[in-house]
Amino acid sequence: MRIIRSIRGLQAWRRKYENQEIGFVPTMGALHEGHLSLIRQARKHCSTVVVSIFVNPLQFGPTEDLSRYPRPVKSDQQLCRESGVDLLFWPTSEEFYPKDFQTSVKVSRLSCCWEGEARPTHFEGVTTVVTKLINLVRPRHAYFGQKDYQQLLVIKQMVQDLNMDTKIVRCPTVRESDGLALSSRNRYLSERQRLQSARISAALRHGVQLIKRGTRHVTTIQKELKKVLRTAEGLDIEYVAVCDAHSLARLTRAKGSMVLLAAVRIGNVRLIDNMLVKV
Ligand code: PAF
């Protein structure tokens, strides 16, 4: 596996691989089974697999966890190597955003709701970094987890709006055996919080079941979801919602392709999860 730290190095590498079908997995490191499942998908469908590890400062708000975000460099490199990654792009912040950097990419409507309300500059940071990465890597396919469902929709919209020649591939959320969605932030949870956090997926599953069994009144579904969440000690609900799976507009009656969204706080940790359902 090659490791490249400079933009020029990556551009030179890319010129040599002009005819390759590149599969790209952008990450912020602290790799877990969720990331590895994306790498496996890329490995399966593409001749060359590129992973980037970059803790993108632009997507963290002023009070968020940028400085304490986990950076287990050695084990991340090892995991990439073992997963058959061809190239690891691992730039420094100074390399990626030089002093006079002044451009940003914003997807206006989809970035404003839900996570965008809670984290007003987050998606602009994500779309800016992903634009730069896609421009550099020029992948045929780029792989994103459903776990960050709104991020996935925002990036799909951006790729469509900017005519980027990359297909965004949605990969299923990987979960612990008790249902907790894998996230690099799970490592902040104490053992007790970790156990309580399984109520998030339990609540979403309950919501999906209610819809599948015929409940259509969204207020009722949301109340039921909250009831399950409230069985967890120390868990504060930020939002739960039943939305249109494409526009993320809040629904009043369950219909069509939907996504159930949840964002909660447990101690200092903010966790999000979602499940799709169709009627
Ligand atoms: O999902 C993530 O890990 C990040 O938001 C991404 C897409 C790598 C951009 O920094």
Side-chain angles (χ1 to χ4, degrees):
M1 180 180 80
R2 260 197 81 179
I3 300 178
I4 294 183
R5 303 216 60 185
S6 72
I7 302 255
R8 268 172 184 268
L10 180 60
Q11 285 167 329
W13 178 89
R14 185 63 184 88
R15 280 193 290 275
K16 281 198 216 143
Y17 281 75
E18 213 48 73
N19 298 321
Q20 298 289 323
E21 281 245 315
I22 291 182
F24 178 43
V25 181
T27 80
M28 297 208 299
L31 302 181
H32 51 63
E33 190 48 40
H35 299 108
L36 301 185
S37 74
L38 305 182
I39 296 173
R40 278 196 291 275
Q41 279 300 311
R43 191 62 290 165
K44 201 158 143 192
H45 298 288
C46 306
S47 57
T48 304
V49 176
V50 176
V51 169
S52 64
I53 294 183
F54 180 58
V55 183
N56 173 34
L58 292 191
Q59 68 189 76
F60 288 77
T63 59
E64 292 179 14
D65 55 348
L66 173 63
S67 61
R68 71 175 183 129
Y69 197 84
R71 290 164 173 86
V73 172
K74 283 278 168 256
S75 67
D76 279 353
Q77 284 182 11
Q78 185 63 20
L79 285 170
C80 286
R81 211 168 267 121
E82 287 166 5
S83 313
V85 170
D86 297 292
L87 171 72
L88 173 60
F89 179 50
W90 177 38
T92 61
S93 207
E94 297 72 34
E95 175 73 7
F96 208 72
Y97 297 123
K99 274 208 176 70
D100 63 344
F101 185 82
Q102 44 189 306
T103 299
S104 77
V105 177
K106 183 173 179 180
V107 173
S108 51
R109 281 198 301 280
L110 267 175
S111 297
C112 290
C113 52
W114 310 117
E115 285 307 284
E117 257 172 50
R119 307 176 71 192
T121 55
H122 173 66
F123 286 121
E124 196 167 338
V126 171
T127 39
T128 301
V129 78
V130 174
T131 298
K132 272 177 70 90
L133 289 166
I134 287 183
N135 279 345
L136 287 163
V137 177
R138 290 184 277 128
R140 186 82 283 284
H141 296 100
Y143 296 82
F144 292 85
Q146 185 191 315
K147 155 76 171 51
D148 294 304
Y149 186 74
Q150 189 174 1
Q151 165 172 283
L152 179 84
L153 289 191
V154 166
I155 290 171
K156 275 192 167 177
Q157 185 70 43
M158 172 190 85
V159 162
Q160 179 184 308
D161 289 351
L162 299 182
N163 309 112
M164 291 174 168
D165 192 15
T166 295
K167 185 176 178 333
I168 302 300
V169 183
R170 165 166 64 88
C171 299
T173 303
V174 178
R175 298 181 181 280
E176 302 279 6
S177 54
D178 65 359
L180 177 66
L182 295 196
S183 160
S184 303
R185 289 187 169 101
N186 291 354
R187 60 183 80 194
Y188 300 149
L189 297 168
S190 69
E191 211 169 305
R192 195 172 169 69
Q193 291 171 331
R194 161 68 195 79
L195 289 174
Q196 304 292 318
S197 303
R199 302 313 292 161
I200 307 166
S201 60
L204 292 169
R205 260 198 321 275
H206 180 53
V208 167
Q209 284 312 316
L210 286 173
I211 293 173
K212 283 190 173 163
R213 289 195 201 116
T215 310
R216 293 291 174 263
H217 195 232
V218 163
T219 313
T220 310
I221 300 163
Q222 284 173 185
K223 265 191 199 147
E224 286 292 317
L225 254 92
K226 285 184 181 169
K227 246 194 234 166
V228 179
L229 288 172
R230 287 194 185 111
T231 61
E233 216 176 88
L235 189 149
D236 291 325
I237 303 169
E238 260 191 28
Y239 62 76
V240 288
V242 180
C243 301
D244 177 273
H246 306 292
S247 67
L248 295 186
R250 194 191 271 283
L251 297 172
T252 50
R253 282 193 70 72
K255 64 168 189 312
S257 295
M258 289 162 277
V259 61
L260 276 56
L261 301 174
V264 306
R265 270 186 191 281
I266 183 152
N268 289 329
V269 190
R270 190 168 180 279
L271 298 173
I272 57 171
D273 197 359
N274 67 83
M275 284 186 195
L276 291 165
V277 56
K278 208 176 192 169
V279 292

